[in-house]
Amino acid sequence: MRLALVIQVAVSVVVGLALASSYNAELAGVMIGTTPFIAISGAISMKVMTGFSTGVQKEYAKSGKTVAESISSIRTVYAFNGQSALLNQFDGIMKRIQANANRRGVVSGISFGFSTFIMFGAYGLAFWYGGV
């Protein structure tokens, strides 16, 4: 499946470049010049999203462990009146998850906005250059 996707993308790039170059070689050259900027902005976006995902998974694992331990030893927790301590521990973990999610949302929005700005900037450059 992966090989088929690689072949599809490669053929699309080759055919697209051939058609663009045959229609207007100068405009095709301008658009090829913007490709590294689009690729770099996309790579930055992916890196940011991947970095936040690992931290969230660790926090969810901690919360799951806390819940599993408290449920498996519910009689002991009840006998020593430890419900509030476990609830506070779980609440602290969930607050960290929420803070991390808020940060992730802001950073993801900024990186997506940057990527979109670069893409639309490339479109604008193409329209401007094509109209000149």
Side-chain angles (χ1 to χ4, degrees), residues 47-107:
K47 184 73 171 171
V48 166
M49 294 298 289
T50 305
F52 275 109
S53 295
T54 56
V56 170
Q57 288 175 351
K58 288 179 184 177
E59 292 295 328
Y60 276 126
K62 280 184 190 177
S63 68
K65 180 181 173 187
T66 301
V67 170
E69 287 177 0
S70 62
I71 290 175
S72 66
S73 59
I74 190 69
R75 289 184 182 180
T76 306
V77 170
Y78 186 74
F80 291 110
N81 201 15
Q83 299 96 323
S84 62
L86 282 174
L87 184 60
N88 289 338
Q89 181 182 4
F90 183 73
D91 190 44
I93 293 170
M94 293 309 288
K95 284 182 181 178
R96 285 194 303 267
I97 290 173
Q98 183 178 11
N100 196 355
N102 290 342
R103 268 186 267 124
R104 179 181 181 190
V106 169
V107 173

Coordinates of all heavy atoms in Angstrom, one line a residue, residues 47-107:
K47 N 6.1 18.3 13.1 CA 7.0 18.2 14.2 C 6.3 18.7 15.5 O 6.4 18.0 16.6 CB 8.3 18.9 14.0 CG 9.3 18.8 15.0 CD 9.9 17.4 15.0 CE 11.1 17.4 15.9 NZ 11.6 16.0 16.1
V48 N 5.6 19.8 15.4 CA 5.0 20.4 16.6 C 3.8 19.4 17.1 O 3.7 19.1 18.3 CB 4.4 21.8 16.3 CG1 3.4 22.2 17.3 CG2 5.5 22.8 16.1
M49 N 3.1 18.9 16.1 CA 2.0 18.0 16.5 C 2.4 16.7 17.1 O 1.9 16.2 18.1 CB 1.1 17.7 15.3 CG 0.4 19.0 14.7 SD -0.8 19.7 15.9 CE -2.0 18.4 15.9
T50 N 3.5 16.2 16.6 CA 4.1 14.9 17.1 C 4.6 15.1 18.5 O 4.5 14.3 19.3 CB 5.2 14.4 16.1 OG1 4.6 14.3 14.8 CG2 5.6 13.0 16.5
G51 N 5.3 16.2 18.7 CA 5.9 16.5 20.0 C 4.9 16.6 21.1 O 5.1 16.1 22.2
F52 N 3.7 17.2 20.8 CA 2.7 17.3 21.9 C 2.0 16.0 22.1 O 1.5 15.7 23.2 CB 1.7 18.4 21.5 CG 2.1 19.7 21.9 CD1 2.5 20.7 21.0 CD2 2.1 20.1 23.2 CE1 2.9 21.9 21.3 CE2 2.5 21.4 23.6 CZ 2.9 22.3 22.7
S53 N 1.9 15.1 21.1 CA 1.2 13.9 21.2 C 1.8 12.9 22.2 O 1.1 12.3 23.0 CB 1.0 13.2 19.9 OG 0.3 13.9 19.0
T54 N 3.1 12.9 22.3 CA 3.8 12.0 23.2 C 3.6 12.4 24.7 O 3.4 11.5 25.5 CB 5.3 11.9 22.9 OG1 5.9 13.2 22.9 CG2 5.6 11.3 21.5
G55 N 3.6 13.7 24.9 CA 3.4 14.2 26.3 C 2.0 13.9 26.8 O 1.8 13.5 27.9
V56 N 1.0 14.0 25.9 CA -0.4 13.7 26.2 C -0.6 12.2 26.5 O -1.3 11.9 27.5 CB -1.3 14.2 25.1 CG1 -2.8 13.7 25.3 CG2 -1.3 15.7 25.0
Q57 N 0.0 11.4 25.8 CA -0.1 10.0 26.0 C 0.5 9.5 27.3 O -0.1 8.7 28.0 CB 0.6 9.2 24.9 CG -0.1 9.3 23.5 CD 0.7 8.6 22.4 OE1 1.8 8.2 22.6 NE2 0.0 8.5 21.3
K58 N 1.6 10.1 27.7 CA 2.1 9.8 29.1 C 1.2 10.2 30.2 O 1.0 9.5 31.2 CB 3.5 10.5 29.2 CG 4.6 9.9 28.4 CD 5.9 10.6 28.5 CE 7.0 10.0 27.6 NZ 8.2 10.8 27.7
E59 N 0.6 11.4 30.1 CA -0.3 11.9 31.1 C -1.6 11.0 31.2 O -2.1 10.7 32.3 CB -0.7 13.3 30.8 CG 0.4 14.3 31.0 CD 0.9 14.4 32.5 OE1 0.1 14.2 33.4 OE2 2.1 14.6 32.7
Y60 N -2.1 10.6 30.0 CA -3.3 9.7 30.0 C -2.9 8.4 30.6 O -3.7 7.7 31.3 CB -3.8 9.5 28.6 CG -4.8 10.6 28.2 CD1 -4.6 11.3 27.0 CD2 -5.9 10.9 29.0 CE1 -5.4 12.3 26.7 CE2 -6.8 11.9 28.6 CZ -6.5 12.6 27.4 OH -7.4 13.6 27.1
A61 N -1.7 7.9 30.4 CA -1.3 6.6 31.0 C -1.2 6.7 32.5 O -1.6 5.8 33.3 CB 0.1 6.2 30.5
K62 N -0.7 7.9 33.0 CA -0.7 8.1 34.5 C -2.1 8.1 35.1 O -2.4 7.5 36.1 CB -0.1 9.5 34.8 CG 1.4 9.5 34.8 CD 1.9 10.8 35.2 CE 3.4 11.0 35.0 NZ 3.9 12.4 35.4
S63 N -3.0 8.8 34.4 CA -4.4 8.9 34.9 C -5.1 7.5 34.9 O -5.8 7.1 35.8 CB -5.2 9.9 34.1 OG -5.5 9.4 32.8
G64 N -4.8 6.7 33.8 CA -5.4 5.4 33.7 C -4.8 4.5 34.8 O -5.5 3.7 35.4
K65 N -3.5 4.6 35.1 CA -2.9 3.8 36.2 C -3.5 4.2 37.5 O -3.8 3.3 38.3 CB -1.4 4.1 36.2 CG -0.6 3.3 37.2 CD 0.8 3.7 37.2 CE 1.6 3.0 38.3 NZ 3.0 3.4 38.4
T66 N -3.7 5.5 37.8 CA -4.3 5.9 39.1 C -5.7 5.3 39.2 O -6.1 4.8 40.3 CB -4.4 7.4 39.1 OG1 -3.1 7.9 39.0 CG2 -5.0 7.9 40.4
V67 N -6.5 5.4 38.2 CA -7.9 4.9 38.3 C -7.9 3.3 38.4 O -8.6 2.8 39.2 CB -8.7 5.3 37.0 CG1 -10.0 4.5 36.9 CG2 -8.9 6.8 37.0
A68 N -7.0 2.7 37.7 CA -7.0 1.2 37.8 C -6.5 0.7 39.2 O -7.1 -0.2 39.7 CB -6.0 0.6 36.7
E69 N -5.5 1.4 39.7 CA -5.1 1.1 41.1 C -6.2 1.3 42.1 O -6.4 0.5 43.0 CB -3.8 1.8 41.4 CG -2.6 1.4 40.7 CD -1.4 2.2 41.1 OE1 -1.5 3.2 41.9 OE2 -0.3 1.9 40.5
S70 N -6.9 2.4 42.0 CA -7.9 2.7 43.0 C -9.1 1.8 42.9 O -9.7 1.4 43.9 CB -8.4 4.2 42.8 OG -8.9 4.4 41.6
I71 N -9.4 1.4 41.7 CA -10.6 0.5 41.5 C -10.2 -0.9 42.0 O -11.0 -1.6 42.6 CB -11.1 0.5 40.0 CG1 -11.7 1.8 39.8 CG2 -12.0 -0.7 39.8 CD1 -12.2 2.0 38.3
S72 N -8.9 -1.4 41.7 CA -8.5 -2.7 42.1 C -8.4 -2.8 43.6 O -8.6 -3.9 44.1 CB -7.2 -3.1 41.4 OG -6.2 -2.3 41.9
S73 N -8.2 -1.8 44.3 CA -8.1 -1.8 45.7 C -9.1 -0.9 46.4 O -8.8 -0.2 47.3 CB -6.6 -1.5 46.2 OG -6.3 -0.2 45.7
I74 N -10.3 -1.0 45.9 CA -11.4 -0.1 46.4 C -11.7 -0.3 47.8 O -12.0 0.6 48.6 CB -12.6 -0.2 45.5 CG1 -13.6 0.9 45.8 CG2 -13.3 -1.6 45.6 CD1 -13.2 2.3 45.4
R75 N -11.6 -1.5 48.3 CA -11.9 -1.8 49.7 C -10.9 -1.2 50.6 O -11.2 -0.6 51.7 CB -12.0 -3.3 49.9 CG -13.2 -4.0 49.3 CD -13.3 -5.4 49.6 NE -14.4 -6.0 49.0 CZ -14.8 -7.2 49.0 NH1 -14.1 -8.1 49.8 NH2 -15.8 -7.7 48.4
T76 N -9.6 -1.2 50.2 CA -8.6 -0.6 51.0 C -8.7 0.9 51.0 O -8.6 1.5 52.1 CB -7.2 -1.0 50.5 OG1 -7.1 -2.4 50.3 CG2 -6.1 -0.5 51.3
V77 N -9.0 1.4 49.9 CA -9.2 2.9 49.8 C -10.4 3.3 50.7 O -10.3 4.3 51.4 CB -9.5 3.3 48.3 CG1 -9.9 4.8 48.2 CG2 -8.3 3.1 47.5
Y78 N -11.5 2.6 50.6 CA -12.6 2.9 51.4 C -12.3 2.7 52.9 O -12.8 3.5 53.8 CB -13.8 2.1 51.0 CG -15.1 2.5 51.7 CD1 -15.8 3.6 51.4 CD2 -15.6 1.7 52.7 CE1 -16.9 4.0 52.0 CE2 -16.8 2.0 53.4 CZ -17.4 3.2 53.0 OH -18.6 3.5 53.7
A79 N -11.6 1.7 53.3 CA -11.3 1.4 54.7 C -10.5 2.5 55.3 O -10.7 2.8 56.5 CB -10.6 0.0 54.8
F80 N -9.5 3.0 54.6 CA -8.7 4.0 55.1 C -9.1 5.5 54.7 O -8.4 6.4 54.9 CB -7.2 3.8 54.7 CG -6.6 2.6 55.3 CD1 -6.3 1.5 54.5 CD2 -6.3 2.6 56.6 CE1 -5.7 0.4 55.1 CE2 -5.7 1.5 57.2 CZ -5.4 0.4 56.4
N81 N -10.3 5.6 54.2 CA -10.9 6.8 53.8 C -10.0 7.6 52.9 O -9.7 8.8 53.1 CB -11.3 7.7 55.1 CG -12.3 8.7 54.8 OD1 -13.0 8.7 53.8 ND2 -12.5 9.6 55.7
G82 N -9.5 7.0 51.8 CA -8.6 7.6 50.9 C -9.2 8.1 49.6 O -8.5 8.4 48.7
Q83 N -10.5 8.2 49.6 CA -11.2 8.7 48.4 C -10.7 10.1 48.0 O -10.5 10.4 46.8 CB -12.7 8.7 48.5 CG -13.3 7.3 48.8 CD -13.5 7.1 50.3 OE1 -12.7 7.5 51.2 NE2 -14.6 6.4 50.7
S84 N -10.7 11.0 49.0 CA -10.3 12.4 48.7 C -8.9 12.5 48.2 O -8.6 13.3 47.3 CB -10.6 13.3 49.9 OG -9.8 12.9 50.9
A85 N -8.0 11.7 48.8 CA -6.6 11.8 48.3 C -6.5 11.3 46.9 O -5.8 11.9 46.1 CB -5.7 10.9 49.2
L86 N -7.1 10.2 46.5 CA -7.1 9.7 45.2 C -7.8 10.6 44.2 O -7.3 10.8 43.1 CB -7.7 8.3 45.1 CG -6.8 7.1 45.6 CD1 -7.6 5.8 45.6 CD2 -5.6 7.0 44.7
L87 N -8.9 11.2 44.6 CA -9.6 12.1 43.8 C -8.7 13.4 43.5 O -8.6 13.8 42.4 CB -10.9 12.6 44.4 CG -11.8 13.5 43.6 CD1 -12.2 12.8 42.3 CD2 -13.0 13.9 44.4
N88 N -8.0 13.9 44.5 CA -7.1 15.0 44.3 C -6.0 14.6 43.4 O -5.5 15.4 42.6 CB -6.6 15.5 45.7 CG -7.7 16.2 46.5 OD1 -8.6 16.6 45.9 ND2 -7.5 16.2 47.8
Q89 N -5.4 13.4 43.6 CA -4.3 13.0 42.7 C -4.8 12.9 41.2 O -4.2 13.4 40.3 CB -3.8 11.6 43.1 CG -2.7 11.1 42.3 CD -2.3 9.7 42.8 OE1 -2.9 9.1 43.7 NE2 -1.2 9.2 42.2
F90 N -6.0 12.3 41.0 CA -6.5 12.2 39.7 C -6.9 13.6 39.1 O -6.6 13.9 37.9 CB -7.8 11.3 39.7 CG -8.4 11.1 38.3 CD1 -7.8 10.2 37.4 CD2 -9.6 11.7 38.0 CE1 -8.3 10.0 36.2 CE2 -10.1 11.5 36.7 CZ -9.5 10.6 35.8
D91 N -7.4 14.4 39.9 CA -7.8 15.8 39.5 C -6.5 16.6 39.1 O -6.5 17.3 38.1 CB -8.5 16.5 40.6 CG -9.1 17.9 40.2 OD1 -9.7 17.9 39.1 OD2 -8.9 18.9 40.9
G92 N -5.4 16.4 39.8 CA -4.2 17.0 39.4 C -3.6 16.6 38.1 O -3.2 17.4 37.3
I93 N -3.7 15.3 37.9 CA -3.3 14.7 36.6 C -4.2 15.3 35.4 O -3.7 15.7 34.4 CB -3.3 13.2 36.6 CG1 -2.3 12.6 37.6 CG2 -3.1 12.6 35.2 CD1 -2.4 11.2 37.8
M94 N -5.5 15.3 35.7 CA -6.4 15.8 34.6 C -6.2 17.3 34.4 O -6.3 17.8 33.2 CB -7.9 15.5 35.0 CG -8.2 14.1 35.0 SD -7.7 13.2 33.6 CE -8.9 13.8 32.4
K95 N -5.8 18.1 35.4 CA -5.6 19.5 35.2 C -4.3 19.7 34.3 O -4.3 20.6 33.5 CB -5.4 20.2 36.5 CG -6.7 20.5 37.2 CD -6.6 21.2 38.5 CE -8.0 21.4 39.1 NZ -7.9 22.1 40.4
R96 N -3.3 18.8 34.5 CA -2.1 18.9 33.7 C -2.4 18.5 32.2 O -1.9 19.2 31.3 CB -1.0 18.0 34.2 CG -0.3 18.5 35.5 CD 1.0 17.8 35.8 NE 0.8 16.3 35.9 CZ 0.6 15.7 37.1 NH1 0.5 16.4 38.2 NH2 0.4 14.4 37.2
I97 N -3.3 17.5 32.1 CA -3.7 17.2 30.7 C -4.5 18.3 30.0 O -4.2 18.6 28.9 CB -4.6 15.9 30.8 CG1 -3.8 14.7 31.1 CG2 -5.3 15.6 29.4 CD1 -4.5 13.4 31.4
Q98 N -5.3 19.0 30.8 CA -6.1 20.1 30.2 C -5.2 21.2 29.9 O -5.3 21.9 28.8 CB -7.2 20.6 31.2 CG -8.0 21.7 30.6 CD -9.1 22.1 31.6 OE1 -9.1 21.7 32.7 NE2 -10.0 22.9 31.1
A99 N -4.2 21.6 30.7 CA -3.3 22.6 30.4 C -2.4 22.3 29.2 O -2.2 23.2 28.3 CB -2.3 22.9 31.6
N100 N -2.0 21.0 29.1 CA -1.2 20.6 27.9 C -2.1 20.7 26.7 O -1.6 21.1 25.6 CB -0.7 19.2 28.2 CG 0.4 18.8 27.2 OD1 0.7 19.5 26.3 ND2 0.9 17.6 27.4
A101 N -3.4 20.3 26.8 CA -4.3 20.4 25.6 C -4.5 21.8 25.2 O -4.5 22.1 24.0 CB -5.6 19.7 25.9
N102 N -4.6 22.7 26.2 CA -4.7 24.2 25.8 C -3.5 24.7 25.1 O -3.6 25.4 24.1 CB -5.0 25.0 27.1 CG -6.4 24.7 27.7 OD1 -7.3 24.2 27.0 ND2 -6.6 25.1 28.9
R103 N -2.3 24.3 25.6 CA -1.1 24.7 24.9 C -1.0 24.1 23.5 O -0.6 24.8 22.6 CB 0.2 24.3 25.7 CG 0.6 25.3 26.7 CD 1.9 24.9 27.4 NE 1.5 24.2 28.6 CZ 1.9 23.0 29.0 NH1 2.6 22.2 28.2 NH2 1.4 22.5 30.1
R104 N -1.4 22.9 23.5 CA -1.3 22.2 22.2 C -2.3 22.9 21.2 O -1.9 23.1 20.0 CB -1.7 20.7 22.3 CG -1.7 20.0 21.0 CD -2.2 18.5 21.2 NE -2.1 17.9 19.9 CZ -2.6 16.7 19.8 NH1 -3.2 16.0 20.7 NH2 -2.6 16.1 18.6
G105 N -3.4 23.3 21.6 CA -4.4 24.0 20.7 C -3.8 25.3 20.2 O -3.9 25.6 19.0
V106 N -3.2 26.0 21.1 CA -2.7 27.3 20.7 C -1.5 27.1 19.7 O -1.5 27.8 18.6 CB -2.2 28.1 21.9 CG1 -1.4 29.4 21.5 CG2 -3.4 28.6 22.7
V107 N -0.6 26.3 20.1 CA 0.6 26.0 19.2 C 0.2 25.4 17.9 O 0.7 25.8 16.8 CB 1.6 25.2 19.9 CG1 2.8 24.8 19.0 CG2 2.2 25.9 21.1

